[in-house]
Amino acid sequence: MDKKFNSNIENSQLQKAPIYSLKERNRRWDLARQFMEQNGLEAMLIVGEHEDAGPASYSYDVWFTNSRPGSTVLLPKEGTPINLLPAPMFVLDHMEVGEDAWIPAKNIRIGRDSNAVVQAIKDLGLTKSEIGVIGLEPAIPWQPEGFVGYNYWANIKSKLPNSKFQSIGFEFAQLLMIQSEEEINVLKHAANIGETMVQAMFEIAKPGISEAEVYAAGMAAALSRGTVIPWMHMCSGKNNLRFGPPSWAYRPTPPRILEENDYIAAEVFCNYGDRSTQHQFALAIGDVDEERERAANVARDCYEKGLKIIKPETKFGEVAEALLAPLEDAGGWVRGPQIHGINPAIHIGRIPENYIQIPEMEKYPDIHEVPTLMPDMELLPGMSFVFEPSCAFGRNLVTVGGTILIDENGAVELNPSTGNLFRK
């Protein structure tokens, strides 16, 4: 790689990071109101997930507020939205933003429980209205039935018997996928930070240091560039198949010390301004096993097939199958989807059940294929996706890939370096 990690960031560089304007706010609110008009809605209720939800967080509230995640938004078809905040400290954050805040102080309220939502709906005279709700639909991949609690929703419905609610999350999310020029600039900034995270991890990784040091180098690269990112997936070893947070992130066990001929796999998540990117960092330290080399070549072939086919007017399912074809032809197995949507993450490619060929998998009886989610959706310029093609033979698994933006001509690789196996 030509780029080198520079830990000495000039303040002038940080100040050049892209921001959102009030024009972007108006574009978003107008888009939501057009959606309401087309669907016969008088308001939208947007329930945001907890601010520490991690990767693939459900933070649609931020799209409306450009503020701290973890709030609830009530947007009427006419007028300014009401923003329900969970605690007084959120109000202090809003206060410090000043005149650039998207929602004025008079529309900020403390408390986002069900009673607070009911009161806000009553205050806007919406007790006999059609209200679209974001938060009731499945939040892929962590909340297959949505994350709004039963007691919360039951109380709202019982106290507003004449209001009609409908889940609109999937439909509205498809509008959000077509990003504006400002959003694309923020997305590219996030991708650049992600590239420096990967570079920092590459430079520090060597036998004798711990996984934790590699992890810390990537996190520090992001923090020093002015963003706070979610945790990342990472594992190391000769034949390690894990692909989640490092085990020392959730149970008492020491981080592994890297050895010669190890393989490191990391899924690096970067987030800046509510735009997310993903970077598949695959590093072979020393010699590469013949089967791992073969897996890396197949994974790269899948990646290139995806680049060739993804373009406007193509169906998502067609791209998903193109990314799977070389893997299935080679007889390998895949650890997860070869492609999924991002900003927001509502599309997931097919996961075949070919991972049953792992010898230990016979211990797990409920193994089945996961079908492509929303295969018929037509791709359009401004959408972003994550390519994460994997291939494995036996216990030799390699995953490559990164974030792809679609423009009028096809695929734009926002972080091309992770489309290949790194070697050291």
Side-chain angles (χ1 to χ4, degrees):
M1 294 177 62
D2 295 326
K3 292 196 303 183
K4 294 295 182 181
F5 173 60
N6 175 20
S7 60
N8 299 315
I9 308 301
E10 296 288 342
N11 288 338
S12 60
Q13 292 178 270
L14 296 177
Q15 297 305 311
K16 292 179 181 178
I19 63 174
Y20 290 136
S21 67
L22 289 179
K23 178 181 177 181
E24 174 64 18
R25 179 199 68 178
N26 295 340
R27 182 194 73 85
R28 295 181 179 189
W29 292 5
D30 287 346
L31 184 66
R33 287 180 170 121
Q34 291 169 16
F35 179 86
M36 285 189 266
E37 183 66 31
Q38 293 167 0
N39 290 274
L41 302 174
E42 292 300 318
M44 289 173 59
L45 178 66
I46 302 96
V47 185
E49 201 171 14
H50 188 277
E51 64 180 351
D52 297 323
S57 61
Y58 207 82
S59 55
Y60 285 56
D61 55 314
V62 176
W63 191 85
F64 287 90
T65 66
N66 194 32
S67 192
R68 185 172 173 176
S71 71
T72 299
V73 180
L74 179 62
L75 176 71
K77 192 162 68 172
E78 297 181 3
T80 306
I82 291 177
N83 195 192
L84 305 175
L85 307 181
M89 61 184 177
F90 279 67
V91 176
L92 301 179
D93 292 348
H94 181 276
M95 184 185 302
E96 290 302 310
V97 176
E99 294 182 357
D100 292 330
W102 283 13
I103 297 179
K106 66 179 181 178
N107 287 64
I108 300 295
R109 299 185 182 181
I110 298 175
R112 60 178 300 220
D113 59 280
S114 57
N115 289 325
V117 171
V118 170
Q119 188 60 54
I121 290 173
K122 289 181 176 179
D123 291 346
L124 293 182
L126 298 170
T127 56
K128 297 181 179 180
S129 301
E130 293 271 355
I131 301 175
V133 184
I134 296 178
L136 295 175
E137 69 286 350
I140 304 299
W142 312 122
Q143 304 286 354
E145 304 292 339
F147 63 88
V148 172
Y150 174 82
N151 290 337
Y152 173 92
W153 194 243
N155 188 46
I156 290 175
K157 292 194 71 175
S158 67
K159 291 188 174 181
L160 296 169
N162 296 317
S163 295
K164 295 182 180 180
F165 298 97
Q166 58 176 286
S167 176
I168 59 168
F170 271 143
E171 294 80 4
F172 190 71
Q174 293 178 64
L175 297 181
L176 270 58
M177 290 195 75
I178 305 171
Q179 299 168 95
S180 68
E181 182 178 352
E182 289 190 24
E183 288 175 322
I184 289 173
N185 287 338
V186 171
L187 177 68
K188 290 179 177 179
H189 186 73
N192 287 336
I193 294 175
E195 283 278 281
T196 59
M197 292 173 65
V198 169
Q199 178 66 38
M201 296 168 72
F202 172 80
E203 290 183 2
I204 197 173
K206 63 180 180 180
I209 72 166
S210 75
E211 291 178 327
E213 291 180 76
V214 178
Y215 191 103
M219 298 295 280
L223 294 171
S224 65
R225 282 160 177 77
T227 191
V228 177
I229 63 168
W231 39 259
M232 66 179 84
H233 295 161
M234 193 177 81
C235 70
S236 68
K238 302 295 187 293
N239 299 108
N240 198 329
L241 296 182
R242 292 183 59 257
F243 214 74
S247 57
W248 40 268
Y250 53 83
R251 67 169 173 254
T253 185
R256 188 175 174 278
I257 304 302
L258 299 181
E259 300 174 356
E260 189 68 29
N261 301 327
D262 265 357
Y263 172 72
I264 299 175
E267 186 168 32
V268 177
F269 303 101
C270 190
N271 185 297
Y272 173 79
D274 201 39
R275 296 294 98 183
S276 298
T277 59
Q278 292 184 18
H279 313 250
Q280 302 298 327
F281 176 51
L283 171 62
I285 301 176
D287 295 335
V288 180
D289 182 277
E290 181 178 335
E291 288 291 85
R292 192 176 302 281
E293 188 78 65
R294 181 183 170 209
N297 290 335
V298 173
R300 177 63 196 185
D301 192 13
C302 294
Y303 182 85
E304 291 178 349
K305 291 293 191 300
L307 289 179
K308 188 174 296 185
I309 192 174
I310 192 167
K311 58 185 177 181
E313 298 182 3
T314 306
K315 298 291 181 63
F316 175 71
E318 296 172 0
V319 180
E321 290 304 310
L323 279 154
L324 273 171
L327 174 282
E328 294 187 316
D329 289 345
W333 61 269
V334 60
R335 69 162 180 85
Q338 304 287 74
I339 179 176
H340 64 77
I342 196 168
N343 303 305
I346 61 171
H347 304 78
I348 293 182
R350 179 171 67 92
I351 307 174
E353 61 179 18
N354 51 31
Y355 51 87
I356 62 174
Q357 64 185 270
I358 306 171
E360 298 93 328
M361 196 60 72
E362 63 188 19
K363 302 174 184 177
Y364 304 89
D366 188 19
I367 300 301
H368 54 83
E369 177 170 296
V370 178
T372 297
L373 181 62
M374 303 182 75
D376 295 328
M377 197 198 79
E378 186 177 282
L379 306 186
L380 297 169
M383 293 181 173
S384 55
F385 295 88
V386 173
F387 280 10
E388 47 184 52
S390 61
C391 177
F393 299 105
R395 295 186 66 88
N396 290 287
L397 169 66
V398 175
T399 304
V400 300
T403 306
I404 305 296
L405 175 70
I406 300 178
D407 69 6
E408 292 77 7
N409 301 312
V412 179
E413 297 176 87
L414 296 186
N415 45 279
S417 66
T418 50
N420 295 281
L421 174 66
F422 287 73
R423 304 167 193 273
K424 198 171 187 181

